[in-house]
Amino acid sequence: MTARQAGLVACTRCGRVWPADVHTCARCGAPLSSRDPGALQRVWAWWIAGLVVYIPANVYPMLITRTLNYSSEATILGGVIELLSHGDVLVALVVFVASILIPVGKFIAIGFLALSVEKRRWMSEHGQHRLHAVVEFIGRWSMIDVFVVAILASLVRFDAVATINPGIAAVSFALSVAFTMLAAQSFDPRTIWDD
């Protein structure tokens, strides 16, 4: 028997359990509800917003490099290809995984979780819960390439000789990461266990 079936609701802030007809936690003052009715709509809204800004993050330049006689603009995939052409296979692999595979995987995982709650079970509840935990964990490591661009831009400032500036894709990518993190946090994992 679940708490919900027993007519109980837990406070998501302090953890105290109350009867289902109580609407405010007397211990911490937080509003009580068995499930957040708008959680799935927020998941889809943040997911779509993240997808919309992820597209320009891959189309526009992430890094703009200028020297005395050379200027280049590199997209994420273009940077991976350039790193491979210089023989930096490990760095190219890290950039490819952090900038393309992980974000696409997060979009797929969050969309899968939201659809599996709506359409009901394509995998076990434990599997869905583990997938949600992985998405939550990966979220904090998704900004690696934005940090690298920011560090490069701040370190390489020889205005007469060379400059490195972040492109519009850096902002788009940062927004995409933030929006997918908000989508993952909006997901109510308790709905995984509902019948």
Side-chain angles (χ1 to χ4, degrees), residues 15-82:
R16 174 91 192 268
V17 178
W18 298 95
D21 58 346
V22 176
H23 299 292
T24 304
C25 179
R27 180 190 284 173
C28 68
L32 298 174
S33 69
S34 180
R35 298 293 180 266
D36 183 358
L40 206 52
Q41 290 175 332
R42 280 194 303 278
V43 168
W44 284 118
W46 288 121
W47 187 87
I48 290 168
L51 188 61
V52 166
V53 294
Y54 184 69
I55 294 167
N58 286 294
V59 174
Y60 293 106
M62 177 71 86
L63 198 63
I64 302 167
T65 308
R66 290 187 183 92
T67 61
L68 288 173
N69 58 357
Y70 177 74
S71 179
S72 75
E73 297 179 347
T75 62
I76 294 172
L77 195 55
V80 170
I81 292 168
E82 192 170 332

Side-chain angles (χ1 to χ4, degrees), residues 78-117:
V80 170
I81 292 168
E82 192 170 332
L83 284 168
L84 284 172
S85 70
H86 289 294
D88 296 325
V89 176
L90 184 61
V91 177
L93 184 65
V94 168
V95 171
F96 181 75
V97 168
S99 303
I100 296 175
L101 282 184
I102 289 176
V104 169
K106 277 176 55 179
F107 281 118
I108 292 170
I110 293 169
F112 177 79
L113 284 171
L115 282 175
S116 68
V117 167

